[in-house]
Amino acid sequence: MTLHINQISVRQVKGVSAPKEPELHAFGVHTVGDLLEYYPFRYEDYRIRELSAVKDGEKITVQGKIMGEPVLQRYGRSKSRLSCKVAVGQWLVTGVFFNRHYLKDQLEPGREIVLTGKWDQRRLQLTVSESEFPGSKSAKSGTLQPVYSVGGSITQQWMRKTVQQALVQYGMMVEEVLPRELVAQHELMPRREAIMRIHHPEDTREGQEARRRMVYEELFLFQLKLHAYRAWNRERKDGVSHKIDNEAVLAFVRQLPFALTDSQKKVTNEILHDMRQPYCMNRLLQGDVGSGKTVVAAIALYAAVTSGHQGALMVPTEILAEQHLRSLQRMFEPYNIQVGLLTGSMTERQRRDVLGGLQMGLVQIAVGTHALIQDSVVFRNLGVVVTDEQHRFGVNQRSVLRRKGMNPDVLTMTATPIPRTLAITAFGDMDVSTLRERPKGRKAIKSYWVKHELLERVLGFIRREVSAGRQAYVICPLIEESEKLDVQNAIDLHIQMQQAFPDYKVSLLHGRLPAAEKDEVMRQFGINETQVLVSTTVVEVGVDVPNATLMVVMDAERFGLSQLHQLRGRVGRGEHQSYCILIADPKSETGQERMKVMTETDDGFEVARRDLELRGPGDFFGTKQSGLPEFKLADMASDFAVLEQARDDAAELVAGEDFWKLPEYEPLRERLVREQIFQGDLLD
Ligand code: ADP
Ligand code: MG
């Protein structure tokens, strides 16, 4: 069998020496295939131009005839200025070469020369950066030269030469990977040609066509992975088939203190349907803050218990874990269901009790932080895992569960509505349920943006709300680089607020407090023993105190849009009119834009859309947990139409039988196997 270019080490390319190899590795280039896919990010234009068509200051390439003797001036030992007159068309141009005195002898009058450099219109002068004589062996003139991202001892020139060498040695081995019908349908350049052309296009249009083809390929192969994974997951029978007691679930829903919204009913049905099936549920529940996701999670957990299984609810913070523990205990108490808590800061003894209960099945529901899936945690019969307020069921967590011999249904809940672009890429492997409406009777939150100088009036506003029996949050920023300083800020602000409201109880919450203290602060705020809560962003996600109606954010310009929206979502959770006041003096335009968006809309989907616009997709989720793939060529914003096309094509392909059977798709299927798509670790 002949080797594939993705199996041949880049060392085999002539010119790649042992010391160069690790430097290429640092660019992600290990194989010949990688090198050929090391695309230029732009081209340098060495095509010969007419002087009449160029603008002052442009970098251009012209061809002309040397007129008269060159003039050399030297400054000190190594500096020099060499100039000579060149006839370009009907213009007489002065070519100026700095520090290249050695060229003097070659600049013979009457000789044709190609000059590249910066054009000075007024002086009719070209400051030459590169020159060559027509017909020389490595002539660049007349071409578009690729510009690669380079560094270390790898120079632009070396990279060009080496990629070119790889094309010469291995270009013929480049094989088509896309299905023939798609290449034809979208009139794509064949792969071999596209790889050649993307490095060395004849003209701009050809470069674009080559790029269009490779972008489509990149997005198609990515979407194919997601859809093949979904299709495969749906077919497998090794998940938990919950035998849900429908009557019991209905009774549970009926005794809730409120009626479910239509949206909640719909998504609950979607979730329970998945849970009954033998495949592993892999579902995303997205809903704006305050749309009522927790109760949906509770129903899913309860349903698992009626089937004789255990359920787990995983949350990002201890505060949230404690809050969910309390509300689940309240809900499940009449049913004699035990709810256990697992967090990092529990005592060994408490921990041992819960662990024992889970292992024996005496504790049916576990709530906790990441501590929930540590190796020491053994469930007797885990059926469903719900993760709240996390963008993804993070790295390797699913495989951790699988290693324990469990294949639970997984429901991921997020309050950050995902704009469509990102949903397709980041969550393309999941089924999505969306909570579109908020519970009835909620009033829109009124949002204001004020300057710092109005702080006195804001304090008056807080007093008004508090004396009417409501509660308020006052948020100060927490920037991770200097947690200490920020905690000090929070402490100072707390003192300031205590002085402003001596007749009310003002408490303080920040990440550095011991867990028990955090819990106590939240408990007191939850029952209105404290009226004003000064806090860092630790309350950002999930915290639910319906009597709180006022959210004041200090230095609001230091937060991103999604974060501000999350913070605002802490109010407007009950029947009372709620307010969000952003105190900010943003200097930057985007800072001001963010404040504007916040005051214009309180619809999370709209906020997310504007956020994406302002930040771009790469930044949208912040770093790590994003689950966003990195593309070599494709750009989420400008290639969106291609992305949608690629998604449709991939979905259609895997939905048919041909893909799974016909030999012509064998290479694609092998590729999916190689990438371990069918082991269920996709994007974990
Ligand atoms: P989120 O989606 O932000 O997690 P929660 O689940 O915390 O929202 O719900 C917000 C508040 O709305 C909670 O106090 C919850 O009890 C209440 N709630 C949820 N569903 C309904 C409903 N159908 N009718 C009235 N209130 C509801
Ligand atoms: Mg929530």
Side-chain angles (χ1 to χ4, degrees):
M1 205 188 93
T2 50
L3 282 176
H4 190 263
I5 47 171
N6 286 331
Q7 296 165 306
I8 302 173
S9 160
V10 72
R11 263 310 286 284
Q12 301 301 314
V13 177
K14 233 171 77 191
V16 178
S17 57
K20 280 284 190 296
E21 192 182 1
E23 291 202 58
L24 284 173
H25 288 185
F27 291 128
V29 174
H30 300 263
T31 67
V32 171
D34 295 336
L35 185 59
L36 295 182
E37 288 181 25
Y38 197 73
Y39 304 120
F41 59 91
R42 66 180 178 88
Y43 303 99
E44 232 154 32
D45 194 345
Y46 290 94
R47 287 173 301 176
I48 290 167
R49 305 270 302 266
E50 295 284 338
L51 270 180
S52 53
V54 305
K55 290 198 224 51
D56 184 46
E58 263 191 283
K59 192 181 174 207
I60 54 164
T61 299
V62 292
Q63 179 165 354
K65 187 186 276 187
I66 299 172
M67 311 294 282
E69 290 294 330
V71 180
L72 177 65
Q73 295 161 286
R74 278 181 176 271
Y75 315 92
R77 204 188 296 188
S78 60
K79 296 219 158 87
S80 70
R81 181 183 191 275
L82 178 64
S83 70
C84 84
K85 300 282 181 204
V86 179
V88 178
Q90 68 269 53
W91 307 62
L92 190 63
V93 171
T94 310
V96 180
F97 303 74
F98 286 103
N99 309 328
R100 265 171 289 175
H101 57 88
Y102 50 84
L103 285 176
K104 181 165 185 274
D105 292 341
Q106 298 175 34
L107 301 179
E108 299 159 20
R111 197 172 180 191
E112 284 284 321
I113 189 166
V114 176
L115 303 175
T116 299
K118 196 171 160 196
W119 177 237
D120 181 335
Q121 180 80 46
R122 201 172 52 81
R123 294 201 178 108
L124 297 184
Q125 181 171 304
L126 194 69
T127 306
V128 178
S129 52
E130 290 169 76
S131 63
E132 63 185 26
F133 296 101
S136 62
K137 198 163 149 261
S138 60
K140 285 188 217 161
S141 59
T143 66
L144 290 171
Q145 287 290 317
V147 182
Y148 302 99
S149 153
V150 292
S153 82
I154 293 185
T155 62
Q156 195 59 247
Q157 208 182 350
W158 186 89
M159 197 59 134
R160 279 180 188 163
K161 210 176 74 200
T162 309
V163 172
Q164 175 59 30
Q165 178 61 34
L167 284 168
V168 170
Q169 272 177 265
Y170 296 102
M172 291 313 284
M173 286 172 67
V174 174
E175 285 168 11
E176 187 55 78
V177 298
L178 293 174
R180 260 178 313 163
E181 64 275 13
L182 291 176
V183 175
Q185 186 189 332
H186 301 307
E187 298 180 334
L188 299 173
M189 218 182 245
R191 187 169 214 271
R192 185 176 305 159
E193 190 185 339
I195 288 279
M196 304 259 183
R197 291 304 169 205
I198 204 165
H199 293 287
H200 296 288
E202 282 286 337
D203 52 36
T204 319
R205 207 193 60 82
E206 200 177 74
Q208 282 165 353
E209 271 301 294
R211 182 182 180 280
R212 182 172 77 89
R213 172 208 142 120
M214 297 314 299
V215 165
Y216 177 86
E217 173 184 313
E218 192 168 38
L219 294 174
F220 172 81
L221 291 177
F222 174 67
Q223 288 293 324
L224 185 70
K225 274 203 295 199
L226 299 181
H227 286 272
Y229 171 78
R230 269 167 85 154
W232 167 80
N233 193 44
R234 273 294 154 106
E235 284 304 310
R236 57 205 268 234
K237 306 276 184 265
D238 56 352
V240 180
S241 307
H242 286 92
K243 305 260 174 298
I244 298 171
D245 181 341
N246 295 324
E247 286 307 314
V249 172
L250 281 174
F252 177 75
V253 170
R254 246 180 270 125
Q255 57 74 50
L256 289 169
F258 43 73
L260 293 185
T261 64
D262 289 344
S263 260
Q264 284 171 322
K265 284 183 201 157
K266 180 164 174 285
V267 303
T268 304
N269 280 329
E270 288 165 352
I271 292 162
L272 297 190
H273 173 82
D274 277 355
M275 286 174 64
R276 291 190 193 98
Q277 307 304 314
Y279 55 74
C280 282
M281 170 166 73
N282 183 24
R283 188 170 282 280
L284 175 75
L285 172 57
Q286 60 170 340
D288 205 349
V289 272
S291 58
K293 292 183 292 294
T294 313
V295 67
V296 174
I299 298 169
L301 294 169
Y302 180 70
V305 175
T306 69
S307 157
H309 291 87
Q310 289 167 301
L313 176 60
M314 195 158 92
V315 297
T317 65
E318 295 197 358
I319 291 174
L320 205 49
E322 301 269 1
Q323 175 186 296
H324 282 320
L325 175 76
R326 278 193 296 270
S327 59
L328 291 181
Q329 274 175 336
R330 213 179 311 122
M331 279 190 243
F332 292 138
E333 205 197 67
Y335 301 89
N336 208 9
I337 294 172
Q338 297 303 311
V339 186
L341 178 73
L342 276 177
T343 64
S345 60
M346 294 168 65
T347 65
E348 202 40 50
R349 175 110 194 264
Q350 291 168 318
R351 198 178 140 74
R352 228 180 308 128
D353 284 352
V354 177
L355 287 181
L358 285 173
Q359 185 158 16
M360 307 214 292
L362 299 173
V363 173
Q364 291 95 334
I365 291 176
V367 181
T369 55
H370 278 70
L372 257 186
I373 57 154
Q374 276 162 10
D375 279 342
S376 54
V377 185
V378 180
F379 289 87
R380 187 180 136 95
N381 194 7
L382 183 64
V384 68
V385 176
V386 183
T387 67
D388 189 18
E389 310 288 4
Q390 282 187 317
H391 284 120
R392 279 209 79 92
F393 197 29
V395 183
N396 287 326
Q397 290 168 0
R398 227 176 301 177
S399 11
V400 170
L401 288 170
R402 210 171 308 109
R403 252 188 287 129
K404 297 179 182 187
M406 292 179 282
N407 237 344
D409 285 326
V410 174
L411 177 67
T412 303
M413 307 202 294
T414 175
T416 309
I418 322 288
R420 215 158 46 108
T421 343
L422 300 186
I424 292 179
T425 46
F427 299 99
D429 59 323
M430 303 172 103
D431 299 297
V432 178
S433 293
T434 305
L435 280 177
R436 298 218 176 270
E437 51 179 340
R438 294 189 203 172
K440 288 194 192 61
R442 295 278 171 78
K443 302 187 179 76
I445 301 166
K446 294 191 175 154
S447 301
Y448 306 97
W449 162 28
V450 302
K451 303 274 166 77
H452 275 104
E453 60 206 42
L454 289 182
L455 185 62
E456 278 303 320
R457 287 186 49 189
V458 175
L459 293 179
F461 200 86
I462 297 178
R463 175 168 290 285
R464 199 191 82 182
E465 283 300 296
V466 169
S467 58
R470 307 284 83 78
Q471 291 164 274
Y473 296 94
V474 182
I475 305 295
C476 57
L478 181 97
I479 310 292
E480 260 152 49
E481 293 90 75
S482 160
E483 209 190 359
K484 233 178 168 169
L485 237 149
D486 286 309
V487 168
Q488 191 54 49
N489 269 345
I491 292 170
D492 292 346
L493 185 64
H494 180 222
I495 294 171
Q496 193 187 347
M497 290 294 142
Q498 277 177 320
Q499 283 164 352
F501 304 105
D503 41 345
Y504 291 109
K505 189 153 179 220
V506 180
S507 55
L508 173 65
L509 185 69
H510 61 74
R512 283 285 180 90
L513 293 178
E517 204 170 316
K518 275 191 244 180
D519 193 30
E520 182 56 18
V521 169
M522 273 324 292
R523 195 189 63 78
Q524 289 185 5
F525 191 65
I527 55 175
N528 198 2
E529 250 175 51
T530 359
Q531 288 74 46
V532 179
L533 181 63
V534 174
S535 173
T536 59
T537 52
V538 288
V539 295
E540 175 182 340
V541 291
V543 168
D544 184 40
V545 179
N547 189 50
T549 53
L550 180 55
M551 167 59 64
V552 178
V553 184
M554 308 294 288
D555 299 327
E557 72 269 18
R558 289 168 69 181
F559 299 102
L561 261 183
S562 297
Q563 209 175 9
L564 288 173
H565 182 68
Q566 286 294 322
L567 285 168
R568 175 168 61 184
R570 294 315 113 217
V571 298
R573 306 187 139 246
E575 62 208 287
H576 305 286
Q577 176 64 54
S578 291
Y579 307 89
C580 173
I581 301 180
L582 307 168
I583 302 183
D585 301 289
K587 308 240 162 10
S588 70
E589 218 168 281
T590 52
Q592 296 180 9
E593 191 59 32
R594 285 202 298 265
M595 297 309 128
K596 256 185 68 194
V597 173
M598 285 296 291
T599 53
E600 281 168 11
T601 178
D602 79 335
D603 172 0
F605 286 86
E606 177 63 12
V607 171
R609 198 183 61 74
R610 304 276 289 267
D611 196 17
L612 182 63
E613 255 172 36
L614 286 174
R615 278 205 282 179
D619 269 358
F620 184 77
F621 289 126
T623 42
K624 277 191 196 125
Q625 277 212 328
S626 76
L628 272 185
E630 285 190 14
F631 295 114
K632 287 182 184 170
L633 268 186
D635 176 85
M636 276 311 105
S638 55
D639 296 320
F640 183 56
V642 187
L643 175 63
E644 286 197 309
Q645 182 66 57
R647 177 205 49 191
D648 293 347
D649 292 342
E652 192 182 322
L653 188 65
V654 301
E657 294 207 336
D658 287 358
F659 176 73
W660 304 96
K661 288 198 182 128
L662 295 187
E664 62 175 292
Y665 298 110
E666 178 74 24
L668 274 183
R669 289 197 303 265
E670 266 177 15
R671 192 185 183 97
L672 294 172
V673 171
R674 237 187 356 259
E675 295 184 358
Q676 309 194 328
I677 297 304
F678 305 132
Q679 294 177 24
D681 278 339
L682 185 75
L683 297 177
D684 265 6

